[in-house]
Amino acid sequence: MSYSFNRRGRTSGASRSNSSRSFNRGSQRNSFRGSKGRFKYGAQRSNINPAQYVSGPVEVQAEKIYQPQNSFADFGLLPKLLSNVTRHGYTEPTPIQDQAIPVLMNGQDVVGIANTGTGKTAAFLLPLINKLLLDQDQGVLIVTPTRELALQIFEELQAFTVGLRLGNALCIGGMNINAQISRLRNNPHFVIGTPGRLKDLINRGNLKTELFSNIVLDEVDRMLDIGFRPDITFIISHLPRQRHAAFFSATMNRDTEAIMRQLSDNPIKISVKKQESLSNIEQDMVRIKPGQNKADILYEMLIKENEFPKVIVFGRTKHGINKLEQKLDKYGIRVSSIHGNKSQNARQRALQNFKQGRVQALLATDVAARGIDIDDVTHVINFDEPMTYDDYIHRIGRTGRAGKIGKALTFVD
Ligand code: ADP
Ligand code: MG
């Protein structure tokens, strides 16, 4: 792809209106509504009432501020770890950190129900790092649904363990397995990975599960959505019976509870899930009228770059995302995309380009975007409707973070 990575340079006025026109004219032929009628969304339709895509005006003052019971210094972390926390810019615990860290420090198992972006990573990393500093003859296994999430946790781990002499290994699909195997030979204290690759490494005898008496399952509901249930069950069955477990999920249902019971007899349940976080997000829907083309409408929005500077666009299928990317790219919108068919490197590059503002829009499927933490996303656009309201909440939670106001627009036809 040939982006010009020049923020302003891309569109001189003339070429912009030109491409705008040809985009619309071309839409007859290039339209996703092909000759057979409609673009395929996949078999199922969304079960969401479109009224749920619309929010009232944003309340600015009404937000209740959580008062943590603890400061980071109260948790009893070793001084060198505490100073890494401070150095990393954390001044006050988030609610899930405030409530889960004491329980994990106490050696009890935790089930944490918390929205994305609420600081779960440090909630389990800090007590477990502390535990390993006190006793290095054990390991911590952290399982997450996606490669990107594993990488984010890995980066947080590195920040918190600077100078602490704890080994680590990132074991995710799409990356060279031999490098991971040789890293595992050093018996790292922390192993972070995705279920498929971890299972593979256990089967090959490279991951010595008997050492991993500490286990974290992150974003369990999504792991189940992606179909990782057999892999998770496999991994759990290889762990020591005596173990310390932390389990995080944004939702709790029969399936997640079944996994949880496999993992732990008597976990402490902590729920800090809040719907109010949506008050930061202005939600609306965009009605697509008969004869209108969704890609054209998206294009008309994105050419107004000042209004739509940093946008995540959700589509339902990899194929749909690819087509949309090609089309927008052709008409001069700087876009990148992440979905399951891309190599790990390509996904990482796409994310970096978006994070650093080299592209204006990131096109994503639900799975690929789960838990991704990107600052200052101005809009989430649901190009295809989400399947469930849960997915909707996850999608729009990419914007309106850190107290900023975000906008969520959902295309409905
Ligand atoms: P989750 O796992 O719940 O989605 P993360 O652990 O990824 O959330 O945290 C979201 C963002 O907030 C990250 O950028 C993280 O570094 C930051 N963060 C988490 N806890 C704190 C804190 N106590 N103070 C400041 N920033 C924090
Ligand atoms: Mg997380």
Side-chain angles (χ1 to χ4, degrees):
M1 222 163 289
S2 57
Y3 306 116
S4 144
F5 285 145
N6 178 343
R7 217 167 181 0
R8 307 262 161 252
R10 172 176 54 88
T11 44
S12 69
S15 73
R16 167 174 286 196
S17 59
N18 220 344
S19 63
S20 165
R21 249 183 288 129
S22 62
F23 191 89
N24 284 319
R25 238 187 304 140
S27 71
Q28 283 301 86
R29 190 163 31 87
N30 296 334
S31 162
F32 287 157
R33 291 164 194 275
S35 52
K36 293 218 180 63
R38 299 171 63 80
F39 174 61
K40 283 206 298 281
Y41 293 93
Q44 300 156 289
R45 292 227 29 119
S46 172
N47 65 6
I48 303 169
N49 176 351
Q52 291 181 278
Y53 299 138
V54 183
S55 63
V58 180
E59 299 156 42
V60 178
Q61 26 83 307
E63 210 173 317
K64 230 201 276 152
I65 311 281
Y66 178 87
Q67 286 295 343
Q69 301 295 301
N70 303 287
S71 71
F72 279 110
D74 294 336
F75 291 131
L77 302 169
L78 293 164
K80 47 194 175 178
L81 175 55
L82 186 60
S83 79
N84 280 354
V85 173
T86 312
R87 186 141 32 116
H88 194 40
Y90 286 21
T91 50
E92 193 172 70
T94 66
I96 187 75
Q97 291 162 4
D98 187 38
Q99 296 181 43
I101 291 176
V103 178
L104 287 168
M105 289 292 286
N106 207 14
Q108 290 164 291
D109 292 354
V110 160
V111 175
I113 312 297
N115 302 100
T116 16
T118 56
K120 291 185 288 280
T121 316
F124 59 78
L125 280 183
L126 297 179
L128 292 172
I129 294 169
N130 200 73
K131 189 173 179 183
L132 265 77
L133 288 172
L134 296 171
D135 171 13
Q136 310 221 345
D137 290 336
Q138 53 184 316
V140 178
L141 182 64
I142 301 169
V143 191
T144 92
T146 68
R147 300 159 184 184
E148 285 80 9
L149 270 172
L151 194 60
Q152 280 180 19
I153 295 171
F154 190 67
E155 285 168 355
E156 292 272 287
L157 175 70
Q158 286 180 315
F160 289 136
T161 54
V162 171
L164 299 187
R165 302 175 151 275
L166 292 172
N168 55 43
L170 179 66
C171 298
I172 57 182
M175 308 254 280
N176 187 316
I177 196 167
N178 292 320
Q180 295 171 7
I181 289 171
S182 71
R183 190 110 176 185
L184 289 176
R185 286 211 188 94
N186 301 330
N187 293 321
H189 300 98
F190 283 82
V191 172
I192 302 171
T194 44
R197 179 55 61 95
L198 290 173
K199 182 182 174 194
D200 204 4
L201 288 162
I202 292 172
N203 273 330
R204 291 164 178 243
N206 299 114
L207 182 59
K208 306 273 186 292
T209 42
E210 63 272 15
L211 297 174
F212 289 87
S213 52
N214 303 281
I215 168 92
V216 179
L217 297 187
D218 195 21
E219 309 243 0
V220 178
D221 46 353
R222 181 53 53 146
M223 287 201 257
L224 297 179
D225 288 351
I226 312 175
F228 277 143
R229 183 176 190 146
D231 293 352
I232 299 171
T233 303
F234 175 90
I235 293 167
I236 293 175
S237 74
H238 280 73
L239 296 174
R241 289 264 162 268
Q242 280 294 336
R243 61 195 172 218
H244 190 189
F247 179 101
F248 291 94
S249 193
T251 54
M252 249 345 214
N253 56 35
R254 268 218 322 258
D255 292 336
T256 51
E257 268 176 45
I259 300 277
M260 190 196 73
R261 273 196 303 275
Q262 275 178 21
L263 193 69
S264 171
D265 293 331
N266 209 1
I268 308 285
K269 215 172 189 175
I270 298 170
S271 177
V272 296
K273 199 176 158 82
K274 281 221 187 80
Q275 218 67 311
E276 290 97 277
S277 56
L278 290 186
S279 65
N280 280 346
I281 305 170
E282 224 175 286
Q283 306 165 66
D284 209 346
M285 68 173 141
V286 178
R287 278 270 177 211
I288 309 295
K289 302 188 190 88
Q292 277 185 329
N293 178 278
K294 287 202 289 187
D296 294 341
I297 290 175
L298 179 61
Y299 172 74
E300 294 299 339
M301 291 175 166
L302 294 178
I303 50 170
K304 292 178 236 154
E305 196 178 337
N306 292 337
E307 259 177 71
F308 292 87
K310 198 166 181 184
V311 183
I312 299 183
V313 178
F314 281 97
R316 204 173 280 165
T317 67
K318 300 162 195 172
H319 179 65
I321 293 280
N322 272 337
K323 280 181 79 168
L324 188 60
E325 180 176 21
Q326 279 165 21
K327 191 159 178 168
L328 292 170
D329 186 56
K330 189 165 145 200
Y331 290 100
I333 305 287
R334 293 166 301 116
V335 291
S336 62
S337 74
I338 50 172
H339 57 65
N341 274 3
K342 285 203 158 184
S343 73
Q344 181 59 21
N345 278 340
R347 288 207 229 176
Q348 247 0 86
R349 224 178 311 126
L351 267 183
Q352 282 309 320
N353 283 340
F354 183 61
K355 278 189 180 174
Q356 292 163 12
R358 287 192 291 260
V359 301
Q360 177 189 0
L362 179 71
L363 314 183
T365 54
D366 291 285
V367 167
R370 175 80 172 198
I372 295 297
D373 179 41
I374 298 171
D375 291 336
D376 303 328
V377 173
T378 58
H379 294 75
V380 165
I381 296 180
N382 295 309
F383 183 82
D384 296 324
E385 282 183 69
M387 290 301 296
T388 65
Y389 195 65
D390 250 15
D391 285 337
Y392 177 70
I393 298 296
H394 275 291
R395 286 182 177 190
I396 72 172
R398 309 294 101 224
T399 185
R401 306 182 87 156
K404 301 208 176 75
I405 301 290
K407 291 196 177 129
L409 296 170
T410 303
F411 287 7
V412 179
D413 48 13

